[in-house]
Amino acid sequence: MKATRLGAAGLAVALLGALVAGTPASAAESNTATDSTATTCVTDPAVPKRQFRAMWIASVTNIDWPSKDSWTAPDQVAKQKAEYLAWLDLAQKLNHNAVVVQVRPTADAFWPSEVEPWSEYLTGVRGQNPGWDPLAFLVEESHKRNLEFHAWMNPYRVSMPAPGGAGADISKLAPNHPVRQHPDWVFAYPPAGVAGSRLYYNPGIPEVREFVQTAMMDAVKKYDIDGVHFDDYFYPYPSGTYQYPDDATFAQYNRGFTNKADWRRDNINLLIQEMNAKIKAEKPWVKFGVSPFGIWRNKSADPNGSDTTGSQSYDIISADTRKWVKEEWIDYIVPQLYWYIGQYPAADYARLVPWWAETVRGTDVQLYIGQADYKSGDPAYGSFWMNPQELSNHLTLNRSYPEVLGNVHFSAVQVRANRLGATDIYAAEHYSRPALVPTMSQLPAKPLLFPVVTGAERQADGVRLSWRQPADGKGPFGTATSYAIYRFDGAGLAGRCDFADASHLVATVRADGDVQSWVDTTAESGARYTYYVTALDRLWNESPASPPRFVR
């Protein structure tokens, strides 16, 4: 379509139209029930306007991507690219709006890092150059689909157990691995010679903490990622009665602590606090999130704890997750609530969701829930997980807690497996419409002007909309990174409440050039529609709606 220039007269008409038409709330729109839109408009809880939806795409031991088959493919790179695009297809099919992709699984890199070796999970050979830049491709293709890209990194794990991994043998690491130059930076746990032994960077050494932050910040600086994501591995999970070999480290770097457990927790606190500060200093818009083990502490150990009796991250892996929330050192938290709803005193999902909701309440930290898709339909995990509705019931329970703003599913292969049809069920009952990513008021934003729709034409494959974004990124105005498209049946003006949920949201599309264009392939021939378009910045703050565009 020929580009249309929007002159001053056209802009004036558009502004007048926007004053006449009802529009959504301003770009500073909130995500919770305290938002004025939510309190004055009746919304459908099954189609929330804002909800974080993602799946974890794990690379360690080639769980999800890339496949081991790709290593021997005639064109390894082409196969790995095709595999990743298939995961994005699945994300779009499920109306997800983000992906969480593991790009630093074992102190290695899925990009040409300045300080760490290439990951073995790309080629099957530790340190081997794959001949391309996977992270650049991952980010670019995710953004084309308007999916946020969260770079999932493990701070301290250096190797996986033998025989598949290097185990505790430093000589089996990549030839250029930093640990070869600094063997004093790591310890083996469980001890070398014990089944499952592997190497970890020692969190108690200040140089190590600085190094792993530098390694991860390399990706933040070089790539247009939307978030940095840690999982639940900090100090190693305990193995039998083996103790961490850090007596000498404690003696040298105790910083005045006399209690080793408190010192270990402070080591991880410093990692979290400093990493957040470095991310925000480099790119203030990049989110920082953690997905910890689902229990902080039990009520029997701490009055602030949850009504559970299971393992406690505070004690077993030195992760004081509640403190990170209360200090607002992170932007979001995704507790792994991998338990069923029911009579399970150790860790009942229905007990933990309200505890986490209470924990984030009053903070700037957003709460998403980690879902155990891997347990669904697997008899090894018990009868509750043989209920096709179990995961969907989790998402239904979440609706009772406005602090719960989304879900992340573990992991991609399990989502695709769709055992018992569970994925289809929760997708139909909870992800039937697109959703915008929740905004974060603590991150920087500028006001956005509304778009102006310059064309709406019927064609063989649907209705083609075209629009422009006035003053995009100029002066006091923000830059439109993507757009939301709303469609209403008939020809009439929409009111403010019509934009309060996703009932009329048909798509979000990435910004691409001066004149935007999109085809509504679901439009029925001969039907009358009214379209509105809003602009979204990279943090999903939304502009007022465009003037309406009618299609007869």
Side-chain angles (χ1 to χ4, degrees):
M1 179 182 292
K2 184 178 179 181
T4 304
R5 296 189 62 84
L6 186 67
L11 180 57
V13 171
L15 288 166
L16 180 60
L19 294 174
V20 174
T23 61
S26 71
E29 177 181 2
S30 175
N31 304 292
T32 70
T34 59
D35 172 45
S36 60
T37 300
T39 55
T40 58
C41 301
V42 177
T43 59
D44 183 348
V47 288
K49 179 170 179 173
R50 292 188 181 273
Q51 186 177 57
F52 189 84
R53 301 172 184 167
M55 56 187 170
W56 279 290
I57 301 177
S59 62
V60 68
T61 68
N62 301 93
I63 291 174
D64 296 314
W65 181 87
S67 71
K68 289 184 179 179
D69 289 344
S70 70
W71 297 347
T72 55
D75 189 333
Q76 182 184 91
V77 175
K79 181 168 177 59
Q80 292 182 354
K81 287 183 175 181
E83 288 176 350
Y84 186 71
L85 294 179
W87 290 127
L88 298 187
D89 289 343
L90 178 61
Q92 284 191 299
K93 177 185 175 184
L94 297 173
N95 281 324
H96 286 189
N97 47 33
V99 288
V100 183
V101 186
Q102 194 172 32
V103 296
R104 186 181 180 268
T106 52
D108 50 11
F110 272 56
W111 71 95
S113 168
E114 294 182 3
V115 294
E116 292 189 308
W118 282 104
S119 175
E120 65 187 278
Y121 304 116
L122 288 165
T123 63
V125 179
R126 296 178 193 112
Q128 180 171 296
N129 189 332
W132 63 304
D133 186 339
L135 183 51
F137 176 82
L138 301 178
V139 173
E140 180 181 3
E141 292 300 324
S142 301
H143 284 170
K144 283 181 182 178
R145 315 289 186 101
N146 206 30
L147 297 166
E148 278 198 342
F149 185 91
H150 290 240
W152 171 12
M153 306 184 188
N154 187 282
Y156 291 124
R157 183 172 59 202
V158 174
S159 66
M160 294 297 285
D169 190 345
I170 291 176
S171 70
K172 291 184 178 179
L173 298 177
N176 62 334
H177 202 291
V179 170
R180 287 179 177 266
Q181 285 74 51
H182 300 280
D184 54 311
W185 281 5
V186 299
F187 59 68
Y189 187 85
V194 175
S197 180
R198 67 190 80 182
L199 296 170
Y200 293 88
Y201 277 122
N202 187 338
I205 300 175
E207 284 179 288
V208 166
R209 191 173 72 248
E210 177 69 25
F211 173 79
V212 298
Q213 290 172 359
T214 298
M216 295 184 288
M217 284 300 299
D218 188 58
V220 176
K221 293 175 180 179
K222 291 179 179 177
Y223 299 91
D224 189 26
I225 63 175
D226 300 290
V228 172
H229 182 97
F230 288 177
D231 53 24
D232 57 318
Y233 291 95
F234 297 99
Y235 273 86
Y237 278 91
S239 178
T241 59
Y242 297 111
Q243 302 298 307
Y244 304 139
D246 61 353
D247 286 348
T249 310
F250 180 60
Q252 184 174 359
Y253 300 112
N254 59 62
R255 298 188 301 280
F257 281 91
T258 57
N259 181 289
K260 188 184 288 186
D262 289 340
W263 168 73
R264 287 176 181 152
R265 276 187 289 273
D266 194 59
N267 291 333
I268 306 303
N269 288 344
L270 288 171
L271 169 75
I272 299 296
Q273 185 180 18
E274 292 169 0
M275 189 67 190
N276 181 60
K278 288 181 178 181
I279 291 169
K280 296 303 187 288
E282 182 68 28
K283 293 181 178 178
W285 58 88
V286 172
K287 304 170 185 178
F288 181 37
V290 180
S291 177
F293 182 75
I295 299 173
W296 170 67
R297 299 200 87 187
N298 299 314
K299 187 178 292 186
S300 60
D302 190 304
N304 291 317
S306 53
D307 186 14
T308 50
T309 61
S311 298
Q312 307 167 106
S313 68
Y314 181 93
D315 299 291
I316 62 171
I317 54 174
S318 305
D320 192 354
T321 53
R322 184 176 182 272
K323 183 178 182 68
W324 307 343
V325 171
K326 295 303 184 182
E327 297 291 340
E328 298 181 339
W329 291 338
I330 52 179
D331 296 305
Y332 68 86
I333 194 161
V334 193
Q336 297 172 20
L337 303 191
Y338 293 168
W339 302 287
Y340 55 79
I341 298 171
Q343 299 304 313
Y344 184 48
D348 184 344
Y349 185 92
R351 296 181 183 184
L352 280 162
V353 168
W355 185 87
W356 280 104
E358 171 63 29
T359 297
V360 303
R361 192 171 299 145
T363 73
D364 283 336
V365 180
Q366 293 189 351
L367 172 62
Y368 317 139
I369 305 297
Q371 300 293 343
D373 288 53
Y374 72 96
K375 289 186 175 181
S376 180
D378 187 337
Y381 294 107
S383 61
F384 281 87
W385 290 104
M386 297 308 292
N387 176 7
Q389 288 285 151
E390 180 66 27
L391 286 170
S392 189
N393 290 345
H394 290 196
L395 274 57
T396 299
L397 186 149
N398 292 355
R399 293 179 188 172
S400 299
Y401 301 92
E403 293 82 9
V404 180
L405 296 176
N407 300 278
V408 185
H409 298 267
F410 187 82
S411 67
V413 292
Q414 310 296 339
V415 173
R416 184 176 63 189
N418 191 27
R419 285 186 298 274
L420 307 178
T423 302
D424 289 341
I425 291 170
Y426 71 66
E429 295 182 355
H430 299 278
Y431 300 162
S432 64
R433 308 292 297 177
L436 309 184
V437 172
T439 59
M440 291 185 173
S441 60
Q442 72 271 26
L443 302 185
K446 291 182 177 181
L448 291 162
L449 284 181
F450 56 80
V452 177
V453 181
T454 57
E457 301 176 358
R458 286 196 176 276
Q459 53 188 45
D461 56 347
V463 174
R464 177 175 291 277
L465 294 180
S466 302
W467 63 90
R468 296 178 65 90
Q469 181 64 19
D472 193 23
K474 298 177 181 176
F477 298 109
T479 300
T481 300
S482 62
Y483 297 90
I485 301 160
Y486 300 84
R487 186 185 72 194
F488 297 83
D489 293 335
L493 296 179
R496 187 170 183 264
C497 287
D498 293 318
F499 297 91
D501 62 23
S503 296
H504 302 283
L505 180 63
V506 290
T508 71
V509 296
R510 201 74 173 179
D512 183 21
D514 228 15
V515 178
Q516 311 295 316
S517 183
W518 173 80
V519 178
D520 182 2
T521 58
T522 65
E524 296 181 5
S525 177
R528 292 187 175 188
Y529 296 115
T530 303
Y531 289 92
Y532 293 85
V533 181
T534 61
L536 304 161
D537 66 13
R538 70 170 303 137
L539 291 167
W540 300 80
N541 297 295
E542 187 175 31
S543 76
S546 69
R549 189 72 181 215
F550 306 108
V551 177
R552 302 186 185 279

